[in-house]
Every structure is written in C-alpha cells, then in structure tokens.
Amino acid sequence: MELELEQTQLSGYEAVLDTTVFQEETLEMIVPDACPDILNIVDTEGWAELGSREAMEGRAEVSGTVRAAVLYLPDGADGMRRLEVAIPFACAMEERRVNGRCGVTAVPRVEWAETRVLNPRKVLVRVSLAVDVQAYAPLEDNVSSAVVCPPEYGVEQLSETCRSYGVVCVQEKPFTFSDDISLPGNRPEAAELLKQRLSLVCSESKVIGNKLIFKGSANLQIFYRSTDNSLCDSSFELPFSQIMEVSGAGEECDCTLDVVSAGTQCALESGDGRTIHVSLELLAQSVLREERSFQVLTDLYSTAYALEAAAAPRRMDRLVDCSAKTLALREVLEDVGMADRILDAYASIGRVTQSREGGKLTLEAEAVVTAVYQRENGEIGCAARRFRMPCVLELPAGCTCSCRCRCPEPVFASPTTGGIEVRLPVEFRYLALRQEEVRGVASASLNTEAPRGGEDQPSIVLRMVERGERLWDIAKCYGTTAAEIRRANALEENAAPDGQLLLIPRKRA
C-alpha cells in the first residue's frame, strides 16, 4: 500500500540566467547644418538607457538606446561644441531554462566610447556596451515533511530542519521625475548644454507588509558652455521616494534594488541662461531574498512490515555572504603634458573577472578613467587610461559568487608632476552562495503481507556502536526504535554512545 506523505509547498524564484553581455555599437553621423565644422574631437561620453526586456522559450532579450555626447572644437569658431548620438541596441541570451514566465532584470552600462573624424562634416562613433542580465523563473515545489499512517503499522520517520536562501519576489516599478533646476548664482550663465551625467543611488529600502519603500537620489552633473565660451559644470541632487507592491517576502528579507535610466532629457529654457528643465524616466528593479526553514522527511521504516521508500535529491542554497566592499583607486594619467586645469573627470566600469586560490576569491574590475584638461596656453586635451582593481574576499571553496561593480562617487582629479592624479572609489557588491544537497523521501509503500522478524529470532542482541553511527540507523537495522534502545540502556535523549556496547531489544512480528 502507498503511504500518504504530508507535503510542504515551497514557492519562490530560481535564478536561471546570470550573465553580462558585451558588444560594440557603431554609427556614422553627419554633422547637422546648424553646427560648425569639426576641427578636433575632445571627448566622447556615453550612457545607456534601458528599453524593453522580454523572456521567451530558451532565450531572454534586452533592448534600449546608447546615447553619446561628442564634444569637439569647431573650425573657425570659439568655444566647445556638442553632437548627440543615439544608437539603438538589442542583445539576446540563449538559455534553455528561460521561459515566458520568467522575470528579467537588466542593468546596461557603457564601458567606453570614442569618435573618429571621417571628414569635417562626418564622424564615426564607437561604443562598447555591457549589459548585466538576470532571469528568474517562478519555482513551485512540494517537499515531503511527514508520513500519515496508523500507529499499528509501526512506521518510524526521521525529519530534518532544512534552511534555504533564495529569491522570493522579483518586482519592478517605473517612475518619473520632472522639474526645473537653476544654476547657482556663483556660476556663469549657460549658452549651450554640452552633456549631463546621471548617477542613480538607492540609499534605503524596507519591506513593510506588502510594500517595498525605497529612497534615493538622482545625482546629476551638468556641463555647459557659458556665454563667454568657457567650460563650466554644476551638480544637483534630486531625491526620490517610492513605494512598490511586493508579495511573498518578509520584513527582514534582503533587498537588491537597481534604479536605471529609461530616458534622460535636460534642456535649457529658451531665453534663460540659468533655468534647466530636467525630465527623467526611471525604472526600479527589485529582487528580494530571504532564508526559509522547513521540515524534510529524510528517512522512514516500519518495525512491523517491509517498507520501501524512494528518495529524491533536493538542492538548497545557503547564504555565505552578502555584502559590499569599497576600495580606493589612486593612479596617475601620464604623458599628458602639463595640465593647468581639470575640466572634467569620470570613470566607467568594464569587465569583472574572478580567480580563486584556496580560500581566497579575487574579484578584479576594469575601470576606464577619463580626464579632460586645459593647458596654460588654453589648449584643451583629453586623457584616458584603463586600470584594474583587485578585490580579495575570504570565501570558502565550493561557493559561487555573483558580483556587480560601480563607481559610487565622482572622480577626483588634479594636475600633478608628470600627468593628472585621479582618485575614485570602486564598490564591489557581491552575493556568495553554497549549494547543499538533501535527499528527501519522495514516495513510500508498505507491504502488509511481509511482516518483519519471526518467532525464531532473539528478542535481545548486543551491538557495539561505531564512531559516528546514529541510533536511528541501528534501530532501523534491527526493526526497533531509537526510544526503545535508549530506554533499554538508560541513555539520555541526546547522548552519543560511540564505542559502547548496547542492548538492542528487537520487536517480534
């Protein structure tokens, strides 16, 4: 007869895709008629705006737009000029476990951008794009926790408390920000906006009931050409506070929240050199994780009849570490001549690699640092260098680690002997998990036509307990119970009788 097993339902999400896609995008562009000819390219800075994300059978697709501000010195005119380039992108990731029910998160970023002059009225823009993509498939599973059986069948069962750390909710929320900002009184008026740099930071997140409340700021840097043709900048902190509907997560869960740009517009008000209209389309993507405890039926037998059980392995993720580590990068951009003034400096994060040596895992991020500077004679130049930043973590072998890197603060740059000194923080956000396997009972049947034991078998045997041997295994072998063995040998409940000679009372059929 088949035994009835009590089931515990587990629900959540399984990470079926976690990767970073790298690709290059190029575009040839004609200089608009309203813009002067190009004499020299000074700098090209790109940023990515997220569009759509779609999951289908066996693949995930992400699309968006890469925008780049190309700053150049005009031929026959004074002051910096600007070209804006918009390049659509699309990338696809093949993964058999992805299906149409998956939730997809994506964070695109630009590794580097450059512009080559084909002629004074035509340029070729190249951008290296990196897109961090994760896909989470809904997971519903049943775990056997106990057996339902009348006492006369003598079924003994062993259950263990298991803990698993996993994703319980994947949710997103689009929101917008629109406002007019004004240049400070100590800054000159703007004649033309040259570029903007947006850094989105989530400073606080908390689950209350079925709501995720999160706060942060959009840190915006505006670079512009003033009315006297000098290059100026101004920074603004635009706070945001939002509420997102979530489900299935407790208030003590861990929240990973990425806020990305889906569109950024900054425009100088007509006839006003101080008022800038800002419009931001933002998308918050949240992944909530927590540790859950549940009972798993790992073994059973009958003292009265023959019993057959089938076990199935179950994989459990255990949390090893979930944290962030910020390191400081301090380097010199050499061979740039004598820089008199730093006009702009920024960094972009590229590839992140992993290597292991024993119990140490080294994450290494690639940072491209760019500085725009002015010499004493007024000549403007640009220098860019690629640096590698190692981050060593104490993580045991056998665990997996996923990592995302960013530069959370503006780059500090100053002229120094032999070049330009740059200092910047690099933040490594990482999640380390270790997989464990638990074998739980999937089905069991009892043969009431085959009783255990017999009249010719002794009622008591002597048994030496080997090191590490459980009373459960001994009781199962002899068709008795661990409680009866403890009672016959006056053992405490949690005693470990290694090396002892025990009386094993055997049950008769």
Side-chain angles (χ1 to χ4, degrees), residues 15-240:
V16 295
L17 178 66
D18 186 358
T19 188
T20 301
V21 180
F22 300 92
Q23 63 188 50
E24 282 193 15
E25 303 289 346
T26 61
L27 178 71
E28 288 188 0
M29 178 183 181
I30 302 297
V31 178
D33 293 338
C35 298
D37 288 353
I38 296 176
L39 176 64
N40 183 38
I41 299 293
V42 174
D43 182 34
T44 304
E45 182 176 359
W47 63 95
E49 296 175 349
L50 183 61
S52 66
R53 291 144 299 131
E54 186 176 0
M56 55 195 73
E57 290 300 323
R59 63 191 276 124
E61 295 184 353
V62 177
S63 65
T65 304
V66 176
R67 299 189 182 275
V70 181
L71 303 188
Y72 71 96
L73 295 175
D75 189 5
D78 294 329
M80 196 84 71
R81 295 295 190 271
R82 168 186 191 265
L83 297 174
E84 183 172 332
V85 179
I87 310 174
F89 73 85
C91 55
M93 290 65 61
E94 304 288 339
E95 170 54 57
R96 61 176 180 81
R97 295 177 296 169
V98 175
N99 58 60
R101 298 176 59 207
C102 287
V104 178
T105 66
V107 179
R109 65 182 190 276
V110 171
E111 290 187 283
W112 52 262
E114 65 179 17
T115 301
R116 184 158 59 95
V117 178
L118 301 179
N119 62 55
R121 304 299 300 175
K122 189 176 183 180
V123 297
L124 173 67
V125 180
R126 295 177 60 227
V127 176
S128 177
L129 179 71
V131 186
D132 300 324
V133 183
Q134 298 84 34
Y136 301 92
L139 178 66
E140 293 183 358
D141 195 10
N142 289 323
V143 175
S144 300
S145 57
V147 64
V148 180
C149 190
E152 57 267 24
Y153 290 131
V155 174
E156 294 291 310
Q157 51 189 308
L158 180 66
S159 295
E160 296 182 12
T161 300
C162 294
R163 294 179 175 84
S164 182
Y165 183 82
V167 177
V168 294
C169 182
V170 179
Q171 191 58 272
E172 66 180 44
K173 180 182 180 180
F175 61 101
T176 60
F177 176 92
S178 182
D179 201 1
D180 290 334
I181 58 178
S182 298
L183 295 175
N186 60 352
R187 291 284 196 273
E189 290 188 359
E192 179 187 12
L193 299 186
L194 297 176
K195 65 176 179 178
Q196 69 270 347
R197 184 177 303 130
L198 183 65
S199 174
L200 298 165
V201 179
C202 179
S203 57
E204 181 182 350
S205 61
K206 176 68 176 178
V207 173
I208 300 179
N210 62 344
K211 311 284 186 184
L212 172 62
I213 300 173
F214 61 96
K215 300 177 182 180
S217 62
N219 299 318
L220 181 66
Q221 287 180 279
I222 298 290
F223 298 86
Y224 64 94
R225 177 171 58 87
S226 68
T227 52
D228 63 358
N229 286 326
S230 60
L231 182 62
C232 305
D233 72 296
S234 190
S235 299
F236 303 89
E237 183 176 345
L238 313 175
F240 59 77

Side-chain angles (χ1 to χ4, degrees), residues 306-484:
L307 187 151
E308 291 186 0
R314 298 187 181 276
R315 188 186 64 190
M316 308 291 180
D317 285 332
R318 298 297 302 271
L319 177 64
V320 178
D321 196 4
C322 178
S323 187
K325 190 173 182 179
T326 301
L327 303 178
L329 176 67
R330 182 174 181 175
E331 294 287 350
V332 174
L333 307 182
E334 299 175 335
D335 302 326
V336 299
M338 290 300 295
D340 180 61
R341 177 187 171 208
I342 305 301
L343 303 177
D344 185 24
Y346 59 93
S348 56
I349 302 297
R351 299 167 190 256
V352 180
T353 59
Q354 300 185 17
S355 61
R356 175 175 285 282
E357 184 174 347
K360 296 183 184 294
L361 180 70
T362 300
L363 307 173
E364 190 171 59
E366 188 177 79
V368 179
V369 183
T370 304
V372 180
Y373 60 92
Q374 187 175 38
R375 296 189 176 96
E376 288 186 358
N377 61 4
E379 181 182 347
I380 294 178
C382 181
R385 297 289 185 274
R386 195 181 303 269
F387 302 103
R388 302 198 69 84
M389 169 70 77
C391 175
V392 180
L393 304 177
E394 297 284 348
L395 292 176
C399 67
T400 60
C401 182
S402 60
C403 177
R404 298 289 180 262
C405 289
R406 68 187 185 105
C407 181
E409 297 176 9
V411 175
F412 172 82
S414 63
T416 188
T417 303
I420 299 172
E421 181 185 356
V422 293
R423 297 200 298 267
L424 66 145
V426 177
E427 180 186 74
F428 294 79
R429 291 187 300 164
Y430 59 91
L431 171 66
L433 301 174
R434 183 182 67 251
Q435 290 187 349
E436 296 180 353
E437 186 178 279
V438 176
R439 296 187 65 83
V441 175
S443 63
S445 61
L446 193 68
N447 187 355
T448 56
E449 302 298 324
R452 292 191 64 165
E455 293 296 332
D456 57 340
Q457 293 185 352
S459 59
I460 293 180
V461 297
L462 295 175
R463 175 72 150 75
M464 181 71 73
V465 181
E466 298 180 2
R467 181 174 296 277
E469 193 174 17
R470 300 181 302 177
L471 287 184
W472 167 271
D473 298 313
I474 297 174
K476 181 180 179 180
C477 177
Y478 290 98
T480 184
T481 68
E484 290 181 350

